[in-house]
Amino acid sequence: ESLDHDACYDRSHAVAAAEEARADRASDDVASWATFGVIGVATGATAYAIGRAVDALDDARFAAVRARLDGGGDGALARAYIVYLAICLACGLCATLVVHFGETTAAGSGIPEGKGYLNGVNYTRFLSARAGLAKAVGIIFAVCSGLVIGREGPLVHIGAVLGNVAAALPGLNKLADCAAAARARAAPRS
């Protein structure tokens, strides 16, 4: 199933758009920019939280390794390596389990799926809050496991999820709702 993103351009729509008052368009623009601002701030805050969580888990991992090395003695290096390897494997397993049992649409970077969605392919649950949460938690554990991945690609998917969630919030679109109600009241009744 695909999504229909094509806008309908015909003479009646062009005439209706031309008759729309400038103040109405301005209030719609303000509502759109407010929504975009909230989405941007939420995505930035999520990126910051993911970065702090990765730093905290990395600090805990290296503290555990340092504790094995500081003990000294025979085999301290081997014990430290085994602890490091075990923590990395546990983080990788946690990332896998979160995605597998949490939300399978959170697998991968999210950029190819996002491009597909924008081109009209409807991925079920791709923009759900559950997918965003699974992606955020999964990326924390995946980066801490030492896998060669970054946070940038998954943040595109997380930002799209936050945008989808924000678009569904009734309070966030209050300006647009108020503008639409004012236009409806001002419209001549037939």
Side-chain angles (χ1 to χ4, degrees):
E1 180 179 337
S2 66
L3 303 171
D4 184 16
H5 291 294
D6 293 336
C8 180
Y9 295 107
D10 61 9
R11 185 164 178 78
S12 63
H13 283 96
V15 169
E19 291 175 357
E20 186 178 4
R22 183 173 176 82
D24 293 340
R25 285 194 305 267
S27 65
D28 287 346
D29 289 345
V30 169
S32 294
W33 281 105
T35 303
F36 297 149
V38 168
I39 293 167
V41 168
T43 303
T46 303
Y48 178 77
I50 288 172
R52 298 298 297 166
V54 167
D55 291 343
L57 280 174
D58 278 344
D59 290 345
R61 176 179 58 189
F62 288 119
V65 170
R66 263 188 241 106
R68 301 309 182 274
L69 288 173
D70 291 343
D74 293 336
L77 186 61
R79 284 192 306 273
Y81 180 72
I82 290 171
V83 167
Y84 179 81
L85 185 64
I87 292 173
C88 288
L89 288 173
C91 286
L93 179 64
C94 287
T96 302
L97 293 176
V98 164
V99 171
H100 183 72
F101 292 111
E103 183 62 66
T104 56
T105 59
S109 75
I111 292 177
E113 293 86 356
K115 286 181 179 180
Y117 187 84
L118 291 175
N119 283 320
V121 179
N122 189 11
Y123 294 106
T124 308
R125 300 183 322 268
F126 175 67
L127 294 178
S128 68
R130 187 173 176 170
L133 182 63
K135 176 75 80 174
V137 173
I139 198 64
I140 290 168
F141 284 115
V143 169
C144 289
S145 70
L147 294 173
V148 185
I149 57 171
R151 297 172 248 186
E152 297 81 9
L155 276 173
V156 172
H157 183 195
I158 292 169
V161 167
L162 290 171
N164 186 48
V165 169
L169 292 175
L172 189 60
N173 294 320
K174 191 161 184 76
L175 289 173
D177 295 340
C178 290
R183 280 193 303 271
R185 284 191 303 271
R189 295 190 177 138
S190 53

